[in-house]
Amino acid sequence: MANQAELLLDTISDVIHGLRDYLDEIEFNPKRLEDVEERLDVIHSLTRKYGGSIPAVIAYGEDTRKQLETITGAVDRINELEMQEAKLLEKVAKQGGVLSEKRKSAAISMGKGIETELGDLKMASAQFGVDFQTKPDVNGAPLADGRRIAFDQNGFDRVEFLIAPNPGEGLKPLAKIASGGETSRLMLGLKNVLASADEVPSLIFDEIDQGIGGRVGMVVGHKLWNLSRTHQVFCVTHLPNWRSLATSIIRCKTDR
């Protein structure tokens, strides 16, 4: 036990010397103490406000930093998006121009075909045209002449069908000047010209026999029968002896 006590005494003496050396090295710095206490207060305040722990505070700080970077880089991002928008609008203008030219070319061919059809339907003097218009839009597609025009998924053309039923009359909107019978015959001619492209499944013709006789009635019946090959056709007629049309309807029903 005496030996153990001596060993303990030696150990305690070493500890005492070490503590004295440590105390001699310590420098009391009130400013440093104040800084540390303030730092601890800030940490406690942050943990109470942003998640309750130091890892939560750090995660919040990282998210906030990312948001700040996004905000500070918003101007560059906006400029980048505006450049992309300008390129896309130029592409829209180019493709829309190609589409418009194809439409105008097709309108000429369609107009000739419809006038031929109308000639068969006792409207030989009628003229058919297609009007193309555009709508200004400051945010629209840019044209070569500096104008900007509105567009949608169908392009930027505003298309309207025009008709001059009688000689000497100027072309006017179809919807405003054609009578009931004329409209039916115009639609019959139009549908025959566009039969392969028209996706409307059922067609109804009312008073299509107005102002026409037997020979033209045969022509109308034949055209209705041709149209029934690609569409379901309903026709309202006031001619009891219009056998060509009746035959067409029966033939249409049989074929379908």
Side-chain angles (χ1 to χ4, degrees), residues 129-151:
V130 182
D131 181 45
F132 292 85
Q133 297 290 336
T134 57
K135 181 180 179 181
D137 186 348
V138 294
N139 297 316
L143 300 183
D145 58 7
R147 293 184 298 123
R148 284 182 172 268
I149 55 177
F151 63 91

Side-chain angles (χ1 to χ4, degrees), residues 136-220:
D137 186 348
V138 294
N139 297 316
L143 300 183
D145 58 7
R147 293 184 298 123
R148 284 182 172 268
I149 55 177
F151 63 91
D152 55 24
Q153 65 271 22
N154 297 317
F156 45 67
D157 293 317
R158 301 295 186 269
V159 181
E160 187 173 30
F161 290 162
L162 307 176
I163 185 72
N166 302 306
E169 294 185 13
L171 292 169
K172 297 179 181 179
L174 171 62
K176 295 182 179 180
I177 67 170
S179 64
E182 289 174 339
T183 300
S184 294
R185 275 177 278 173
L186 282 167
M187 290 304 299
L188 177 59
L190 181 63
K191 293 298 182 179
N192 270 285
V193 172
L194 301 178
S196 61
D198 192 0
E199 298 180 354
V200 177
S202 299
L203 303 175
I204 301 176
F205 294 95
D206 186 18
E207 297 184 359
I208 196 172
D209 55 0
Q210 182 178 353
I212 61 176
R215 188 187 67 82
V216 179
M218 291 291 292
V219 175
V220 171

Side-chain angles (χ1 to χ4, degrees), residues 21-243:
D21 292 339
Y22 173 70
L23 290 173
D24 290 339
E25 294 175 358
I26 292 177
E27 179 183 358
F28 179 67
N29 189 341
K31 182 64 171 64
R32 173 62 178 163
L33 178 61
E34 183 180 353
D35 292 341
V36 172
E37 290 178 346
E38 289 180 357
R39 179 65 175 171
L40 290 174
D41 288 340
V42 170
I43 292 175
H44 293 322
S45 176
L46 291 174
T47 54
R48 286 195 304 268
K49 189 173 183 179
Y50 300 110
S53 65
I54 292 178
V57 173
I58 294 174
Y60 182 85
E62 292 176 350
D63 292 340
T64 305
R65 184 180 296 108
K66 291 179 181 178
Q67 294 179 16
L68 179 60
E69 292 175 353
T70 301
I71 293 173
T72 54
V75 175
D76 294 336
R77 179 58 177 163
I78 290 174
N79 292 334
E80 180 183 353
L81 291 175
E82 288 177 346
M83 292 177 62
Q84 293 180 7
E85 181 188 30
K87 291 180 180 179
L88 290 174
L89 286 175
E90 290 179 359
K91 185 177 181 180
V92 167
K94 182 178 180 180
Q95 294 182 346
V98 173
L99 178 60
S100 182
E101 290 300 322
K102 289 183 177 180
R103 280 176 172 157
K104 292 175 181 178
S105 177
I108 296 175
S109 301
M110 183 182 71
K112 294 179 179 178
I114 292 176
E115 288 179 355
T116 300
E117 292 284 331
L118 294 179
D120 297 337
L121 297 172
K122 203 178 179 182
M123 295 179 66
S125 300
Q127 293 182 330
F128 183 87
V130 182
D131 181 45
F132 292 85
Q133 297 290 336
T134 57
K135 181 180 179 181
D137 186 348
V138 294
N139 297 316
L143 300 183
D145 58 7
R147 293 184 298 123
R148 284 182 172 268
I149 55 177
F151 63 91
D152 55 24
Q153 65 271 22
N154 297 317
F156 45 67
D157 293 317
R158 301 295 186 269
V159 181
E160 187 173 30
F161 290 162
L162 307 176
I163 185 72
N166 302 306
E169 294 185 13
L171 292 169
K172 297 179 181 179
L174 171 62
K176 295 182 179 180
I177 67 170
S179 64
E182 289 174 339
T183 300
S184 294
R185 275 177 278 173
L186 282 167
M187 290 304 299
L188 177 59
L190 181 63
K191 293 298 182 179
N192 270 285
V193 172
L194 301 178
S196 61
D198 192 0
E199 298 180 354
V200 177
S202 299
L203 303 175
I204 301 176
F205 294 95
D206 186 18
E207 297 184 359
I208 196 172
D209 55 0
Q210 182 178 353
I212 61 176
R215 188 187 67 82
V216 179
M218 291 291 292
V219 175
V220 171
H222 181 71
K223 291 184 180 297
L224 287 170
W225 179 79
N226 283 334
L227 194 59
S228 70
R229 295 176 179 271
T230 54
H231 299 75
Q232 183 183 33
V233 177
F234 295 88
C235 184
V236 180
T237 177
H238 301 286
L239 293 179
N241 60 343
W242 199 359
R243 299 184 60 182

